[in-house]
């Protein structure tokens, strides 16, 4: 173990009962600051005797109505907005379409300062609601179910584009819409011969800036052994020259590099494994991140490796790392070029009538604090895997949620350093086989794959004969205390929240399904571009009182180290009544400073007052400059301007009937 920690675990097994919940198992190691997960509320969004079935849709958390309290925004078939404190329903909406498979998106897509709620649903419906639940627009790109949804500013114009993928039976599987509902030029794809594609049967697409050009690229694995990758305009990204001038979507993925470079294999029993083993990406998502900390991003993908002889038997869930040019990753002594991890575990079951399918969504996070990312995913072998860049699983990884009895699968993992000790914990849920009359669990492991806690989720509510949670948990602070909560979309007991005692200083690394509320499968940076500065009134005279307001808004992941500097102009005198809704603040000689974190969907408000000096008698502009530093090297400049001793002038209104 790193950092001088104990090399031998002393394990204490405790069996108890979580208040209001089921049994808890604890194999505690050096994580004493983290308390037992405590059930805060359950049956969120349920009716008098039943709940809508929850699928793979991870909830979001945000202050939708800007009242200082958090809402949980979640989808099953309807969209539910719940009070974070107690899970009571604030409002619900039943958008057009059937079940919600991908995570609910909450983001300010039109850059107007208000959040929107976006869902992709059965029947091929894409729905956009405003923060109050009123419909903004609906589109139906296809009649098949939409199973993928992401939003991203592809062209860096300040508004977000919406990307959806469908469970189709053809190669046109990806649509991109502008924030106003118009189809983006160059889409849908794949509608040409630049690659091979078929249906997207999971939330597979990942979006990020692959080539550091300031634009977003879209990576779409689908129901073939190919992965398509597109520029913002829909053009397929070229692959490395060693593939003979092909684009990403025409380079097949094989277990064996030589066969991959050749471009075809012999799918006949007479030939060996090298010719026949290749992954299918029907359920295999991509993810994008700088894996080794060298400033260059890579693409990670998981896929079902099968033998391509007739019958196509599944063998194991494979994992791959590609460079932006589709070549296999090989850097810093980590060789994913010549070989990749193999034989990670055969499927327990691939029959959804027996147990709902395991989805291998990769989560990317630095578990051990060494500056490099690990790859975590749940597999159909009933285990959660964690691969280091050396292609091995360290410690006690993989972790088995199935150890006998009814089958049990795990959700996409989330990752956070819950006790802020530099080593991360892994949090996920599980579900059980149909007809078992059992329930899944909330699992917390340490960075080496040792159990910290396992808590049984509530039993199914009503008549269903199994329960658990298929979707990735969401980690957020949903109430008035300082600790994090885990919010779960369960299959048959509604939306559920657990408090995580001792997590007030937690660092969230991969905190919800597909990594963020934009569901991009990439590690985003937060942005303060939408932040605003204002002053009232704007026309003043000597002795008038001014009220300045700074509103910090971040639609992306948390920005932990934001700083603000505001300098009052000459000609005004501070009232020394500085206040902020969070963070630390102070004032010295008319210079206001603030530092703190700005969380996605939770604006920070800073207010202060001043009085116009009595000696100002001529018309004069009083300019208050404000510098907003996001802590990542980006500084936004804003000005609040008042006119002293001015007067309002109104132009005549000319109307033509």
């Amino acid at each position: 173990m790193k950092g001088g920690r104990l090399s031998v675990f002393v394990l204490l097994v405790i069996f108890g009962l979580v208040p209001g919940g089921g049994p808890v198992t604890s194999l505690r190691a050096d994580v004493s600051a983290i308390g037992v997960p405590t059930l805060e509320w359950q049956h969120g969004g349920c009716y008098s005797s039943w709940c809508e079935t929850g699928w793979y849709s991870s909830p979001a958390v945000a202050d939708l109505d800007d009242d200082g309290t958090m809402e949980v925004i979640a989808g099953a078939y309807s969209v539910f907005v719940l009070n974070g404190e107690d899970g009571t329903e604030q409002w619900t909406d039943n958008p057009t379409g059937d079940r919600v498979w991908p995570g609910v998106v909450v983001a300010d897509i039109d850059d107007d300062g208000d959040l929107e709620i976006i869902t992709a649903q059965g029947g091929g419906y894409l729905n956009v609601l405003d923060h109050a639940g009123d419909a903004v627009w609906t589109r139906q790109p296809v009649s098949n179910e939409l199973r993928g949804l992401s939003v991203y500013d592809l062209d860096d114009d300040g508004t977000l584009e919406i990307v959806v993928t469908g469970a189709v039976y053809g190669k046109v599987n990806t649509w991109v819409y502008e924030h106003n509902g118009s189809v983006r030029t160059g889409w849908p794809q794949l509608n040409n011969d630049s690659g091979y594609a078929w249906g997207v049967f999971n939330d597979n697409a990942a979006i990020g800036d692959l080539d550091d050009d300031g634009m977003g690229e879209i990576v779409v694995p689908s129901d073939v052994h190919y992965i398509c990758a597109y520029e913002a305009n829909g053009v397929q990204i070229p692959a490395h020259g060693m593939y003979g001038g092909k684009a990403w979507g025409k380079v097949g993925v094989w277990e064996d590099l030589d066969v991959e470079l050749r471009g075809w294999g012999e799918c006949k029993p007479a030939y060996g494994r090298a010719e026949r083993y290749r992954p299918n990406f029907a359920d295999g998502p991509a993810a994008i991140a700088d894996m080794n900390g060298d400033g260059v991003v890579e693409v990670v993908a998981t896929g079902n490796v099968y033998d391509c002889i007739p019958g196509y038997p599944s063998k194991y869930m494979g994992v791959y790392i590609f460079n932006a040019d589709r070549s296999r990753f090989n850097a810093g002594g980590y060789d994913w070029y010549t070989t990749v991890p193999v034989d990670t575990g055969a499927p327990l079951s691939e029959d959804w009538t027996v147990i709902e399918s395991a989805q291998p969504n990769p989560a990317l996070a630095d578990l051990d604090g060494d500056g490099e990312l690990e790859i975590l995913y749940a597999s159909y072998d009933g285990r959660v895997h964690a691969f280091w860049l050396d292609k091995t699983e360290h410690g006690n990884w993989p972790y088995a949620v199935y150890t006998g009895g009814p089958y049990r699968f795990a959700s996409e993992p989330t990752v956070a350093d819950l006790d802020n000790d530099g080593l991360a914990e892994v949090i996920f849920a599980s579900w059980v086989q149909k007809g078992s009359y059992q329930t899944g669990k909330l699992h917390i492991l340490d960075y080496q794959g040792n159990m910290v806690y396992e808590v049984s989720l509530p039993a199914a509510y009503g008549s269903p004969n199994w329960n658990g949670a298929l979707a990735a948990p969401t980690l957020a602070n949903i109430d008035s205390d300082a600790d994090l909560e885990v919010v779960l979309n369960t299959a048959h007991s509604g939306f559920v929240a657990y408090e995580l005692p001792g997590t007030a200083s937690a660092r969230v690394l991969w905190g919800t399904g597909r990594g963020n509320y934009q569901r991009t499968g990439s590690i985003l940076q937060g942005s303060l571009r939408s932040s605003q500065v204002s002053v009232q009134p704007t026309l003043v005279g000597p002795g008038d009182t001014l009220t300045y307001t700074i509103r910090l808004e971040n639609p992306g992941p948390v920005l932990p180290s934001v700083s603000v500097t505001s300098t009052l102009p000459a000609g005004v005198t501070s009232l020394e009544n500085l206040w902020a809704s969070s963070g630390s603040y102070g004032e010295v000689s008319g210079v206001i400073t603030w530092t703190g974190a700005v969380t996605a969907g939770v604006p920070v408000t800073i207010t202060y007052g001043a009085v116009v000096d009595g000696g100002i008698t001529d018309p004069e502009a009083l300019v208050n400059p404000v510098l907003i530093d996001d802590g990542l090297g980006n500084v936004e400049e804003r000005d609040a301007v008042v006119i002293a001793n001015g007067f309002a002038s109104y132009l005549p209104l000319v109307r033509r009937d």
Side-chain angles (χ1 to χ4, degrees):
M1 301 177 73
K2 295 190 65 175
R5 292 174 173 270
L6 293 175
S7 60
V8 178
F9 263 80
V10 179
L11 301 180
L12 175 63
V13 182
I14 304 170
F15 296 96
L17 196 68
V18 179
V24 55
T25 303
S26 173
L27 278 75
R28 296 299 303 277
D30 188 14
V31 286
S32 57
I34 305 170
V36 179
T38 304
L39 183 66
E40 286 200 355
W41 46 262
Q42 61 180 310
H43 301 156
C46 292
Y47 305 99
S48 60
S49 61
W50 64 285
C51 309
E52 294 182 7
T53 302
W55 296 96
Y56 299 91
S57 180
S58 193
V61 173
D63 182 4
L64 286 178
D65 50 12
D66 196 24
D67 66 351
T69 61
M70 304 302 289
E71 286 81 43
V72 173
I73 307 98
Y77 289 75
S78 305
V79 173
F80 298 92
V81 174
L82 309 175
N83 186 312
E85 291 276 355
D86 57 15
T88 55
E89 187 177 302
Q90 292 193 182
W91 56 263
T92 186
D93 187 74
N94 189 18
T96 305
D98 203 33
R99 69 176 173 182
V100 181
W101 179 291
V104 173
V105 166
V106 176
D108 181 6
I109 62 172
D110 53 7
D111 196 29
D112 69 348
D114 285 328
L115 295 171
E116 283 77 42
I117 301 167
I118 305 97
T119 59
Q121 301 190 228
Y125 288 97
L126 170 64
N127 296 293
V128 178
L129 306 176
D130 68 16
H131 68 278
D134 295 322
V136 178
W137 53 261
T138 295
R139 299 291 184 270
Q140 187 188 20
V142 68
S143 60
N144 303 68
E145 182 172 42
L146 298 178
R147 293 198 180 173
L149 170 65
S150 308
V151 303
Y152 194 94
D153 187 358
L154 294 174
D155 50 12
D156 195 31
D157 69 348
T159 62
L160 303 179
E161 284 71 44
I162 302 172
V163 180
V164 289
T165 55
V168 298
Y169 297 93
K171 67 179 184 178
V172 177
N173 62 18
T174 305
W175 293 260
V176 179
Y177 291 88
E178 302 289 353
H179 70 275
N180 60 7
S182 62
V183 177
R184 184 172 177 83
T185 302
W187 298 90
Q189 290 292 347
L190 181 69
N191 61 3
N192 55 44
D193 63 354
S194 64
Y196 301 103
W198 205 250
V200 184
F201 294 95
N202 188 21
D203 197 359
N204 287 2
I207 310 178
D209 186 357
L210 292 182
D211 52 10
D212 198 29
D213 67 348
M215 307 280 279
E217 285 77 41
I218 305 171
V219 179
V220 187
S222 65
D223 190 11
V224 286
H225 63 286
Y226 297 82
I227 299 173
C228 289
Y230 305 100
E231 299 285 0
N233 61 3
V235 174
Q236 192 96 221
I237 298 172
H240 191 279
M242 67 182 174
Y243 292 110
K246 298 177 181 178
W248 262 74
K250 279 202 169 179
V251 180
V253 184
W254 296 80
E255 185 184 88
D256 184 87
L257 176 63
D258 291 335
V259 177
E260 181 172 294
L261 289 170
R262 185 209 300 156
W264 54 272
E266 290 283 2
C267 294
K268 300 175 182 179
Y271 289 84
R273 172 173 178 164
E275 296 286 335
R276 300 183 345 222
Y277 277 37
R278 64 191 189 190
N280 175 275
F281 296 104
D283 302 314
I288 298 172
D290 176 3
M291 297 300 297
N292 60 341
D294 65 354
V296 179
V297 300
E298 288 80 34
V299 175
V300 174
T302 55
N304 177 22
V305 177
Y306 67 102
D307 188 336
C308 68
I309 60 174
Y312 308 118
S314 298
K315 296 299 183 178
Y316 67 92
M317 196 61 67
V319 58
Y320 304 85
I321 306 178
F322 302 106
N323 298 312
D325 63 2
R326 174 49 186 83
S327 59
R328 295 189 185 189
F329 175 71
N330 184 14
Y334 300 119
D335 178 10
W336 292 65
Y337 180 75
T338 56
T339 59
V340 292
V342 299
D343 300 327
T344 60
L348 298 175
S349 173
E350 295 178 278
D351 185 349
W352 64 267
T353 67
V354 174
I355 182 171
E356 291 295 344
S357 302
Q359 305 296 339
N361 301 11
L364 310 179
D366 182 1
L367 294 181
D368 55 10
D370 67 353
E372 297 175 342
L373 304 186
E374 283 71 54
I375 305 166
L376 300 100
Y377 65 94
S379 179
Y380 54 24
D381 66 352
R383 300 188 292 178
V384 176
H385 293 267
F387 278 96
W388 270 249
L389 289 182
D390 63 9
K391 296 184 293 187
T392 68
E393 298 193 77
H394 295 190
N396 286 322
W397 296 103
Y399 183 82
V401 297
Y402 170 72
T403 57
Y407 291 142
R408 185 182 298 266
F409 285 153
S411 74
E412 174 186 337
T414 53
V415 184
D417 182 358
L418 294 176
D419 53 2
N420 199 20
D421 68 347
L423 301 171
E425 284 73 44
V426 180
I427 305 96
F428 55 92
S430 61
W431 67 94
V432 293
Q433 185 173 334
K434 296 177 178 180
S436 66
Y437 292 94
Q438 296 185 23
T439 190
K441 297 180 179 181
L442 170 63
H443 304 259
I444 301 178
L445 311 183
D446 73 6
Y447 77 107
Q448 287 200 325
N450 300 294
M451 184 208 303
V452 179
Y453 291 114
E454 286 185 347
V455 179
S456 292
L457 297 175
Y461 185 53
S463 61
N465 57 26
W466 66 277
N467 196 30
L470 287 65
T474 292
L475 306 177
N477 188 352
I478 63 174
D479 55 19
S480 58
D481 66 23
D483 289 324
L484 283 180
E485 281 76 33
V486 179
V487 184
L488 296 163
N489 178 4
T490 69
H492 297 302
S493 53
F495 303 102
V496 175
Y498 287 84
E499 180 161 350
L500 296 177
T503 59
S505 59
R507 295 183 302 114
V508 177
L509 306 177
W510 189 276
T512 188
R514 305 299 281 137
N516 53 70
Y517 298 149
Q518 294 177 215
R519 312 298 179 187
T520 61
S522 58
I523 298 177
L524 299 177
Q525 289 188 350
S527 170
L528 296 173
R529 183 162 53 184
S530 298
S531 297
Q532 305 166 16
V533 176
S534 62
V535 59
Q536 290 294 330
T538 56
L539 292 173
V540 296
D544 285 349
T545 298
L546 305 173
T547 300
Y548 293 91
T549 302
I550 302 172
R551 181 181 170 89
L552 305 177
E553 295 183 349
N554 173 24
V558 62
L559 291 167
S561 303
V562 176
S563 61
V564 175
T565 303
S566 172
T567 304
L568 287 173
V572 305
T573 301
S574 173
L575 290 175
E576 298 183 353
N577 60 349
L578 175 62
W579 174 87
S581 59
S582 66
S584 301
Y585 48 90
E587 179 182 351
V588 177
S589 301
V591 178
I592 288 91
T593 56
W594 179 93
T595 58
V598 184
T599 303
V602 186
V604 174
T605 301
I606 305 166
T607 63
Y608 49 95
V611 175
V612 179
D613 293 350
I616 295 181
T617 57
D618 296 325
E620 183 176 343
L622 305 176
V623 181
N624 175 196
V626 178
L627 300 179
I628 304 170
D629 188 332
D630 67 1
L632 301 174
N634 304 302
V635 178
E636 303 287 338
E637 299 185 26
R638 302 285 188 274
D639 291 326
V641 181
V642 299
I643 305 299
N645 300 314
F647 60 92
S649 178
Y650 300 96
L651 296 175
L653 175 63
V654 178
R655 178 177 177 179
R656 176 179 294 173
D657 292 326

